[in-house]
Amino acid sequence: MPYAARLNNVETSAIRELFKLLGKPGIISFAGGFPDAALFDVQGMREAVNKALDEEPGPALQYGASEGYDPLRMQLAQFMAATGIEVKHDGLIVTTGSQQALDLIGKTMIDPGDKVIVEGPTFLATIQCFRLYGADLVSAPVDADGVRVDELERLIEEHKPKLVYLIPTFGNPSGATLSLARRKRVLELAVKHNVLVVEDNPYGDLYFGKAPPPSLLALSSEVPGSRDLIAYCGSLSKVLSPGLRVGWMVAQPELMARCVMCKQFNDAATSTLAQATAAQYLKAGRMPQALDKVRKVYAERADAMGQALRRELGDAVEFTAPQGGLFIWARLTGAGGKIADAGEFAKRAIEQGVAFVPGAPFFAKDADKSTFRLSFATVGIDRILDGVARLGKAL
Amino acid sequence: MPYAARLNNVETSAIRELFKLLGKPGIISFAGGFPDAALFDVQGMREAVNKALDEEPGPALQYGASEGYDPLRMQLAQFMAATGIEVKHDGLIVTTGSQQALDLIGKTMIDPGDKVIVEGPTFLATIQCFRLYGADLVSAPVDADGVRVDELERLIEEHKPKLVYLIPTFGNPSGATLSLARRKRVLELAVKHNVLVVEDNPYGDLYFGKAPPPSLLALSSEVPGSRDLIAYCGSLSKVLSPGLRVGWMVAQPELMARCVMCKQFNDAATSTLAQATAAQYLKAGRMPQALDKVRKVYAERADAMGQALRRELGDAVEFTAPQGGLFIWARLTGAGGKIADAGEFAKRAIEQGVAFVPGAPFFAKDADKSTFRLSFATVGIDRILDGVARLGKAL
């Protein structure tokens, strides 16, 4: 069959390989990119969906507006207000997970051949999503303080990108958080070079100790002209339930209108049952308590994994302990003559019964093959200790 | 902002105009394209979602496979078996409404400039969806027996299309149903010209009297080589609830694999809460009863509207009484010196407090401006009679 040429832009084997790793039974998996289902507030969800069906059965089961269900938009606006973002309910649109926001941004913004700057490493599905629209991705280096803004400016000047895509807070896979000073600099660069910055923020609420710096969107009030250059993507997936597929986007009205137009032809609307449920859940006021719980559990697991890595793998790996999110991003140093190729390390780890994701596929260009990503989110502490011990053996 | 060029392919004003018509308070609306929320089986849905959260809270709230939730795929395979379609659970993928299936087909198949044959008239959102991928649409004429297969063959030979898109059963907006003989001919043409036929079938279960002819997919067993050339799109939106956003697609494995790959970057997965709910609903066996109810109500409304139209508008309109679905598609004849422009008629109707959709936007090319679409689905019989009387006055 004569498939569309855009499919040639996407390398799927890397992804297939990742999923194959997960198939082996009994394996301890640090490979996932998802929250722990055991932490879901099932009772809260049950109450929310029943309330939705009792109070608003029509809207909850009927088609909804492509821009989102207003009661949810109001709740999301309030939810964001708690993180310093001022937005009215019609200043955001609901998307089918934040993945759809990325797709809509790709569809509305990217012409084949357009340059797009992403972090190196960045979210795998963003790489593929943008490439399907023909984006030519440019990779900006990241350190423990997030994307390097000096390099970012150089790349913006060199490539004149259509947009810059960042996960500034507890990045996937980097775990890095962009410093306050760098955030301000990113906003200044957006204005100076008149370039759209997509801020993907699914993990911002999952902090372990003190809250991270305000989002780019929240800080945009301090940098004149920057607010209209931010497209902010939020999600309930990591803090409440990925199964709802409820994300949202805040951007300037013209861009949002075009995204809504495209959404009409993507899926017409996000599940109104899911939207009404999410609205009822947020309205019930259970979110702060639910967040406290997942923050505490993930913090303990992150700490256990970090300590075990230092103990079991020593100077053969280096990483920065994450302050939030789901991931530890690590690099094999080769110290003591140990292997430095994470793909090879992953194969040996599987033999020892533990899975993780090698870092190479997360780079749009110039992959650092010594890197790998470990998720601490879905595994209890005993199994984290067991798994990291096996990693030690594998190394 | 420098938006992507593909947005220039889409004319949104026609759609905006449609929605404006619906805003006036107190209006009797025949404009909608949705089922009647008053007929939703709310109790059945409540039981289904609670059962899903009781029995499978993890899967119902976690990320799911992009190809769909297996228990739902199994139920959908059974649901289709009742209409003569033989398919295994992994022979279908779940989509976020059938709208997403159309988007995935567009993304995987259509290169800019590719010809695509659609019915004239056809579903508005398909026109826009495919144009966003750069399709050059060709319009094949429709009569009371569906698309004219002689014209279809001529157009296939002339344009060598990438695909042919049909709504063979109770078409939107045409209300027409492709005859059995023409169905077989379409399958033969698919094989003869090696062209993909997309069969969009959201209305097939909404028949009023006897069941319509089998779907193209069901009939493909009678035409060697045709099955792999059908991409069938199903939906629970019109028969159960649009708010679930649960549709599905059956196609040959290679095409489905590519659609699944694209779906990963569209929305990762369809809401697992919605999928688990739909699976439990189907499993509970309530669908036959729910279908009986909506068929009966829609049949009465269709009949009432048809009779009223003949009584109130006489020979100034012509239409074929639909045998299922949600719509009457009519044409102004201009008889007796009455207006023959449906756009002008729509304006006068709004002044009389009744709304419907003029037919022109449903044509990808060569719009017939004398046509218009009336939905009988969401209005009670008293208001149908009142509304059609007002149409009489407006004419």
Side-chain angles (χ1 to χ4, degrees):
Chain A
M1 207 166 272
Y3 298 105
R6 66 178 69 80
L7 300 188
N8 302 333
N9 301 338
V10 180
E11 175 53 74
T12 58
S13 62
I15 303 158
R16 275 202 298 269
E17 289 305 313
L18 300 191
F19 282 100
K20 271 187 210 156
L21 294 178
L22 304 175
K24 209 171 151 183
I27 215 157
I28 297 176
S29 177
F30 301 140
F34 39 84
D36 189 349
L39 301 176
F40 292 155
D41 179 7
V42 180
Q43 181 54 24
M45 294 292 286
R46 191 184 282 117
E47 288 173 19
V49 73
N50 280 289
K51 212 153 189 225
L53 287 173
D54 288 345
E55 293 180 3
E56 44 191 338
L61 297 175
Q62 185 57 285
Y63 283 108
S66 296
E67 45 269 62
Y69 185 50
D70 276 348
L72 175 60
R73 297 166 90 194
M74 286 173 200
Q75 290 297 329
L76 291 173
Q78 282 185 35
F79 182 58
M80 280 194 288
T83 66
I85 295 171
E86 276 182 51
V87 63
K88 289 189 184 146
H89 82 281
D90 58 0
L92 66 93
I93 62 171
V94 177
T95 58
T96 305
S98 56
Q99 183 66 48
Q100 188 185 50
L102 301 177
D103 185 63
L104 296 174
I105 289 167
K107 207 169 200 172
T108 52
M109 294 299 302
I110 299 173
D111 280 315
D114 276 353
K115 299 289 178 109
V116 169
I117 298 179
V118 301
E119 288 158 292
T122 192
F123 179 42
L124 206 50
T126 301
I127 295 175
Q128 312 284 18
C129 175
F130 287 173
R131 279 190 177 150
L132 276 168
Y133 291 107
D136 182 4
L137 298 183
V138 176
S139 200
V142 171
D143 62 24
D145 286 332
V147 70
R148 281 181 46 195
V149 287
D150 53 344
E151 277 297 302
L152 181 61
E153 176 155 36
R154 192 184 63 72
L155 292 168
I156 291 172
E157 284 171 352
E158 180 181 345
H159 295 288
K160 316 259 179 260
K162 199 63 162 293
L163 60 90
V164 174
Y165 169 83
L166 302 174
I167 310 172
T169 309
F170 316 135
N172 176 7
S174 73
T177 293
L178 195 64
S179 68
L180 181 62
R182 288 193 186 176
R183 285 173 195 244
K184 289 188 181 160
R185 186 65 189 144
V186 166
L187 292 169
E188 287 164 4
L189 291 178
V191 175
K192 181 176 170 188
H193 298 282
N194 192 35
V195 64
L196 182 70
V197 175
V198 177
E199 176 176 35
D200 194 3
N201 190 26
Y203 310 105
D205 287 301
L206 293 179
Y207 50 85
F208 302 153
K210 67 178 174 44
S215 61
L216 294 173
L217 185 62
L219 284 172
S220 68
S221 59
E222 297 181 19
V223 179
S226 64
R227 168 117 187 186
D228 278 358
L229 293 166
I230 304 295
Y232 176 95
C233 307
S235 172
L236 293 181
S237 294
K238 306 304 188 291
V239 295
L240 180 57
S241 153
L244 290 174
R245 309 307 303 125
V246 168
W248 67 94
M249 186 173 111
V250 180
Q252 48 112 327
E254 259 202 8
L255 174 56
M256 281 210 299
R258 281 166 174 76
C259 287
V260 167
M261 192 267 286
C262 287
K263 181 170 165 63
Q264 264 188 277
F265 314 124
N266 262 28
D267 65 2
T270 296
S271 166
T272 44
L273 182 65
Q275 290 190 76
T277 300
Q280 290 286 359
Y281 188 92
L282 290 167
K283 193 174 158 198
R286 294 177 76 111
M287 189 61 108
Q289 197 184 326
L291 275 173
D292 280 350
K293 181 175 161 189
V294 293
R295 279 173 190 149
K296 186 167 168 294
V297 174
Y298 291 160
E300 286 166 1
R301 290 177 182 173
D303 186 55
M305 182 179 272
Q307 290 195 35
L309 281 172
R310 297 203 201 281
R311 193 170 57 240
E312 304 281 348
L313 283 76
D315 62 358
V317 297
E318 57 181 24
F319 63 94
T320 304
Q323 304 303 304
L326 307 178
F327 306 112
I328 290 179
W329 178 247
R331 209 173 69 78
L332 295 168
T333 61
K338 300 284 171 64
I339 49 166
D341 183 284
E344 178 58 30
F345 181 37
K347 276 181 209 158
R348 291 195 200 172
I350 287 282
E351 284 165 20
Q352 296 292 332
V354 58
F356 61 84
V357 182
F362 296 101
F363 291 86
K365 287 217 172 112
D366 307 322
D368 180 346
K369 291 182 175 171
S370 68
T371 56
F372 59 104
R373 188 190 77 175
L374 301 170
S375 165
F376 47 78
T378 55
V379 187
I381 288 181
D382 283 356
R383 280 170 68 81
I384 285 178
L385 299 182
D386 185 5
V388 175
R390 295 185 199 192
L391 287 181
K393 274 185 218 154
L395 201 66
Chain B
M1 208 166 270
Y3 297 105
R6 68 178 68 82
L7 300 188
N8 301 334
N9 301 339
V10 179
E11 175 53 73
T12 57
S13 61
I15 303 156
R16 274 202 299 270
E17 289 304 313
L18 301 191
F19 281 100
K20 272 187 207 155
L21 294 178
L22 303 176
K24 210 170 148 184
I27 217 158
I28 296 175
S29 177
F30 301 141
F34 39 85
D36 189 349
L39 301 175
F40 293 155
D41 179 7
V42 180
Q43 182 53 25
M45 294 293 286
R46 191 184 282 116
E47 287 172 19
V49 72
N50 281 291
K51 210 149 189 229
L53 288 172
D54 288 346
E55 293 180 4
E56 45 193 336
L61 298 175
Q62 185 57 286
Y63 284 107
S66 296
E67 44 269 62
Y69 184 50
D70 276 347
L72 175 61
R73 297 167 90 193
M74 287 173 198
Q75 290 296 328
L76 291 174
Q78 281 187 35
F79 182 59
M80 281 194 287
T83 67
I85 296 171
E86 276 182 50
V87 64
K88 290 192 183 143
H89 83 279
D90 57 359
L92 64 93
I93 62 171
V94 177
T95 57
T96 306
S98 56
Q99 183 65 47
Q100 189 185 50
L102 301 177
D103 185 63
L104 295 174
I105 289 167
K107 206 169 200 170
T108 51
M109 293 300 301
I110 300 173
D111 278 315
D114 276 352
K115 299 286 176 112
V116 169
I117 298 180
V118 299
E119 288 159 293
T122 191
F123 179 42
L124 205 50
T126 301
I127 297 177
Q128 311 284 17
C129 175
F130 286 174
R131 280 192 177 150
L132 276 169
Y133 291 109
D136 183 4
L137 298 183
V138 176
S139 199
V142 172
D143 62 25
D145 285 333
V147 71
R148 283 182 44 198
V149 285
D150 52 344
E151 278 295 302
L152 181 61
E153 176 155 37
R154 192 184 61 73
L155 292 169
I156 290 172
E157 284 172 350
E158 179 181 344
H159 295 289
K160 316 259 179 260
K162 199 63 161 294
L163 60 93
V164 174
Y165 169 82
L166 302 175
I167 311 172
T169 308
F170 316 134
N172 176 8
S174 73
T177 293
L178 196 64
S179 67
L180 182 61
R182 287 195 186 174
R183 282 172 197 246
K184 287 187 182 160
R185 186 65 189 141
V186 166
L187 292 170
E188 287 164 7
L189 292 178
V191 175
K192 181 176 169 190
H193 299 282
N194 192 34
V195 63
L196 182 71
V197 175
V198 177
E199 176 176 34
D200 193 4
N201 191 26
Y203 310 106
D205 286 301
L206 294 179
Y207 51 86
F208 302 153
K210 66 177 175 44
S215 61
L216 294 173
L217 185 61
L219 284 171
S220 68
S221 59
E222 298 181 19
V223 180
S226 64
R227 168 115 186 187
D228 278 358
L229 292 165
I230 305 294
Y232 176 96
C233 307
S235 172
L236 293 181
S237 293
K238 305 304 188 291
V239 295
L240 180 58
S241 153
L244 289 175
R245 309 308 303 121
V246 168
W248 66 96
M249 186 171 113
V250 180
Q252 48 113 325
E254 259 203 6
L255 174 56
M256 282 211 299
R258 281 164 174 79
C259 286
V260 168
M261 192 266 287
C262 286
K263 182 168 165 64
Q264 264 188 278
F265 314 124
N266 262 26
D267 64 4
T270 296
S271 166
T272 44
L273 182 66
Q275 290 190 77
T277 299
Q280 290 285 0
Y281 187 92
L282 291 167
K283 193 176 160 200
R286 294 178 77 111
M287 189 62 109
Q289 196 184 328
L291 275 173
D292 280 349
K293 181 176 162 189
V294 294
R295 280 173 190 149
K296 186 166 167 292
V297 173
Y298 291 161
E300 287 167 0
R301 290 177 183 173
D303 187 55
M305 182 179 271
Q307 291 196 34
L309 281 172
R310 297 202 201 282
R311 192 167 60 239
E312 305 280 350
L313 282 76
D315 62 358
V317 297
E318 58 180 25
F319 63 94
T320 306
Q323 304 303 305
L326 307 177
F327 307 112
I328 290 179
W329 178 247
R331 207 173 71 75
L332 296 168
T333 60
K338 299 285 171 63
I339 49 167
D341 183 284
E344 177 59 29
F345 181 37
K347 276 182 206 156
R348 292 196 200 170
I350 287 283
E351 283 164 19
Q352 296 292 333
V354 57
F356 62 83
V357 181
F362 296 101
F363 291 87
K365 286 220 173 106
D366 307 324
D368 180 348
K369 291 185 177 170
S370 69
T371 55
F372 59 102
R373 188 190 77 175
L374 301 169
S375 165
F376 47 78
T378 55
V379 186
I381 289 183
D382 284 357
R383 279 169 70 81
I384 285 179
L385 300 181
D386 186 4
V388 175
R390 294 186 199 192
L391 288 181
K393 275 185 213 153
L395 201 66

